[in-house]
Amino acid sequence: MESIAQSPWAALAYLVAGICFILALRGLSSPSTSQRGNRLGMIGMTIAVVTTLVTHFPQVKSTAAGIAIDPLIAGEILAAILIGAAIGIVTARRIPMTAMPQLVAAFHSLVGLAAVLVACAAFLNPAAFGIADLVIPLIGAPFESIHQVSRIEMGLGVAIGAITFSGSVIAFLKLNGNMGGKPIMLPGRHVINLGLLAAILGLIGYFVQDQSPWIFWTITVLSFLIGFLLIIPIGGADMPVVVSMLNSYSGWAAAAMGFTLHNSAMIITGALVGSSGAILSYIMCKAMNRSFISVIAGGFGGDAGGGGGAAAAVDRPWKRGSAEDAAFLMSQAEQVIIVPGYGMAVAQAQHVLREMGDKLKAHGVRVKYAIHPVAGRMPGHMNVLLAEANVPYDEVFELEDINSEFAQTDVAFVIGANDVTNPAAKTDKSSPIYGMPVLDVEKAKTVLFIKRSMGGVGYAGVDNEVFYRDNTMMLLADAKKMVEEIVKSLD
Amino acid sequence: MDFISILSVFVLACFVGYYVVWSVTPALHTPLMAVTNAISSVIIVGALIASAAGSVGSAGETAKWLGLLAVVLASINIFGGFAVTARMLAMYKKKVR
């Protein structure tokens, strides 16, 4: 049998779909072109789906005897698409913006599982995918021998898909709060993981020689297991890296299946998504000054007091302020820089924060927002929340664009961020976050720092020098309540 | 397509991805993840092939149902991913002067 019966028109259509996907990502270079980009993505997907349906339905009818034509198939496929569409659209409409990291993790798990299912289907019915030759042995029944290259591709596809699935499920449970954010450390986990990885790769190699079902299913089960084991030791603070990494895996899984199906749309998309996730992981690691390997090895964010003088710092003097003090200080300021973090997301304080910004602007204050790359639980998390609260995106700045401005700023207003403002990252070589780029909030004339209580420390488990500085005023309360009170005092 | 030409497409697409993604503004990194999620569900192509193949024997029957389940999962992702991206992107507004 010809490896893939694909007409040149279909191949061309898949290529066009791939180009649409490239342009969809290109559109995200600026908010003004992004919506057009998203629409191009939808067009690309429509082209890919329609092309598949058009090229594969006639085949069902025209294939030689032996394949039963099932008039229900079209209806079943349509029903499957409609069920998925209904679930997807309802979820997308209802999900609160603060839950976006969980949603993305859940979506990743679906891509992973879909890849596993497609690989299983291809293994069970290789003839339908055109990846097998019918072998009629002298003794025994004829069987479909899957091409050796396809076996590698299928093995890799099912393995990456399964890792994506189980890893994303764990990431989802951690982000959604069903499972503690603290890393769970198994003894000897590195040995177990490396052993499993070697076993999976060895089995894929063996699969090339022998297409016995047990090998395929063992690869699948071991991959589910390693995905699970890889993510459980990773702590909450490293979640931006994990989510990006799983994003990347979901792409590689799609690419591996694209190799199996000789489909350029899938290969192009897989490569795009794979590199996108890899770049985001790199950006996140760099923003934490951690190597990718150390994040994957896990354990960060668990051992509180890892920094040298954290325990001794409890009795140090600090200043407490009230909402009225904060309102007064900010209304007198020329420029206020707001530094949001994960705490803002948890408290859902973004809307009232924007209200505060509006009030300040009415007082003639210049208001800017400074966003650290790893603030929140996924790349760009804070930007989305501020956008949701109608903060114009040209008031929102990235770390490197605004960091020099703190020195000329009257008030730095830190809400729900901690580690990303810790000057110890610049000075204290013994600190676990040493070398991480941080926002220089302490250079502002006054720092207003919203925090629930003085007891807790950031996710890195280190005390923050900023709390005890002369120019810092601690506002101890729930972020949303505190900002609401400040807004009242600003009237 | 032979293996080498597929590999060429893959490697070149990785380079394209590298440059395109670096040009994405950090403010849009969350929508980037949502939209890459949606487009990686192009894996629905494989799911449709499995579902449409019809069924020969019990293995073929299982393959078809696995394919249909994959169609459901991929559709959730496609519709959900694009819809949530559109919802997010609609929120990014410029300052009204």
Side-chain angles (χ1 to χ4, degrees):
Chain A
M1 189 194 273
E2 171 62 25
S3 69
I4 279 282
Q6 207 177 54
S7 80
W9 290 110
L12 199 63
Y14 285 129
L15 183 63
V16 172
I19 292 168
C20 286
F21 294 145
I22 296 175
L23 294 174
L25 298 198
R26 184 78 188 98
L28 291 175
S29 57
S30 139
S32 55
T33 55
S34 59
Q35 283 172 296
R36 198 176 60 211
N38 196 37
R39 280 195 289 278
L40 275 169
M42 296 182 206
I43 293 171
M45 189 60 75
T46 313
I47 294 174
V49 169
V50 169
T51 308
T52 312
L53 290 177
V54 168
T55 52
H56 282 82
F57 265 112
Q59 278 190 12
V60 174
K61 286 170 196 138
S62 63
T63 323
I67 292 185
I69 298 165
D70 189 346
L72 291 175
I73 289 180
E76 285 168 347
I77 291 179
L78 192 66
I81 294 178
L82 289 178
I83 294 171
I87 300 176
I89 290 176
V90 169
T91 314
R93 289 240 173 102
R94 294 215 178 138
I95 192 92
M97 280 299 144
T98 42
M100 206 46 72
Q102 294 92 300
L103 182 74
V104 167
F107 279 168
H108 287 157
S109 74
L110 296 183
V111 179
L113 191 55
V116 172
L117 294 176
V118 172
C120 292
F123 177 69
L124 291 170
N125 192 3
F129 289 80
I131 53 169
D133 296 315
L134 190 66
V135 175
I136 304 172
L138 292 172
I139 309 157
F143 67 97
E144 299 280 352
S145 168
I146 302 171
H147 300 153
Q148 292 193 322
V149 178
S150 302
R151 292 186 201 177
I152 302 179
E153 294 157 356
M154 272 167 61
L156 285 175
V158 79
I160 304 172
I163 293 173
T164 312
F165 172 72
S166 53
S168 300
V169 167
I170 300 298
F172 171 82
L173 292 175
K174 288 196 171 199
L175 289 164
N176 205 31
N178 307 94
M179 197 172 165
K182 286 208 168 165
I184 298 165
M185 316 290 272
L186 287 178
R189 63 205 152 81
H190 296 313
V191 181
I192 298 173
N193 288 347
L194 287 176
L196 277 174
L197 189 67
I200 292 167
L201 291 176
L203 281 169
I204 292 174
Y206 190 40
F207 188 53
V208 177
Q209 303 304 320
D210 178 359
Q211 62 169 29
S212 303
W214 73 267
I215 304 174
F216 183 79
W217 301 120
T218 313
I219 294 172
T220 313
V221 170
L222 290 183
S223 305
F224 277 126
L225 192 62
I226 197 175
F228 174 76
L229 291 174
L230 273 175
I231 309 301
I232 50 167
I234 303 182
D238 283 339
M239 274 303 149
V241 183
V242 170
V243 175
S244 321
M245 186 183 83
L246 291 167
N247 184 244
S248 177
Y249 289 176
S250 68
W252 303 130
M257 293 320 297
F259 272 93
T260 311
L261 301 181
H262 296 207
N263 182 302
S264 58
M266 283 167 88
I267 294 171
I268 293 174
T269 314
L272 286 179
V273 178
S275 18
S276 163
I279 291 171
L280 290 177
S281 311
Y282 170 80
I283 295 174
M284 295 299 113
C285 284
K286 210 165 166 241
M288 294 194 293
N289 190 39
R290 310 217 314 113
S291 76
F292 188 67
I293 299 292
S294 74
V295 172
I296 296 306
F300 195 65
D303 19 76
V314 176
D315 293 333
R316 291 171 66 185
W318 48 277
K319 271 187 284 189
R320 181 171 189 160
S322 66
E324 290 77 32
D325 301 334
F328 177 76
L329 273 167
M330 285 195 282
S331 61
Q332 299 302 309
E334 205 171 296
Q335 172 161 296
V336 172
I337 298 183
I338 298 173
V339 180
Y342 183 57
M344 179 191 80
V346 173
Q348 306 251 23
Q350 66 272 29
H351 298 281
V352 63
L353 189 67
R354 196 257 312 143
E355 219 178 300
M356 184 186 93
D358 289 348
K359 288 263 162 68
L360 288 174
K361 277 187 256 173
H363 279 85
V365 182
R366 208 163 46 242
V367 179
K368 289 179 178 175
Y369 297 79
I371 298 196
H372 192 279
V374 293
R377 281 293 180 265
M378 71 185 292
H381 193 182
M382 292 299 118
N383 302 79
V384 172
L385 294 180
L386 293 178
E388 185 200 10
N390 283 324
V391 172
Y393 63 78
D394 37 9
E395 286 178 10
V396 181
F397 297 87
E398 302 299 321
L399 171 90
E400 59 269 29
D401 298 327
I402 199 164
N403 225 4
S404 57
E405 281 195 37
F406 280 104
Q408 290 91 48
T409 297
D410 303 289
V411 179
F413 186 82
V414 184
I415 168 166
N418 188 353
D419 294 331
V420 298
T421 63
N422 195 340
K426 290 177 282 191
T427 52
D428 179 5
K429 284 200 170 132
S430 68
S431 172
I433 58 169
Y434 180 73
M436 166 173 153
V438 287
L439 289 159
D440 299 331
V441 290
E442 78 281 1
K443 290 190 181 155
K445 277 201 199 91
T446 309
V447 183
L448 297 174
F449 207 111
I450 300 191
K451 203 168 175 309
R452 259 172 198 284
S453 68
M454 283 306 281
V457 284
Y459 287 93
V462 272
D463 206 15
N464 193 342
E465 187 60 32
V466 169
F467 303 159
Y468 312 104
R469 291 179 67 99
D470 288 338
N471 62 339
T472 302
M473 191 186 272
M474 299 301 295
L475 306 169
L476 299 186
D478 173 75
K480 193 175 179 183
K481 283 206 191 95
M482 177 53 75
V483 180
E484 275 167 358
E485 279 172 43
I486 295 174
V487 168
K488 268 185 225 146
S489 310
L490 278 170
D491 284 328
Chain B
M1 281 199 287
D2 59 293
F3 181 74
I4 293 302
S5 34
I6 302 175
L7 190 67
S8 319
V9 171
F10 176 70
V11 172
L12 292 176
C14 285
F15 277 94
V16 171
Y18 179 86
Y19 289 106
V20 168
V21 172
W22 272 114
S23 75
V24 171
T25 169
L28 292 177
H29 276 165
T30 297
L32 171 69
M33 301 197 85
V35 83
T36 50
N37 219 312
I39 66 172
S40 59
S41 303
V42 73
I43 198 142
I44 196 174
V45 167
L48 289 171
I49 294 175
S51 317
S55 43
V56 200
S58 65
E61 184 72 18
T62 316
K64 189 189 98 178
W65 287 106
L66 291 177
L68 281 173
L69 183 57
V71 171
V72 175
L73 298 180
S75 304
I76 296 179
N77 240 322
I78 293 171
F79 287 91
F82 282 124
V84 88
T85 310
R87 192 177 142 204
M88 277 191 272
L89 293 176
M91 300 184 314
Y92 283 82
K93 290 186 195 89
K94 258 198 163 141
K95 200 184 294 185
V96 192
R97 284 176 207 276

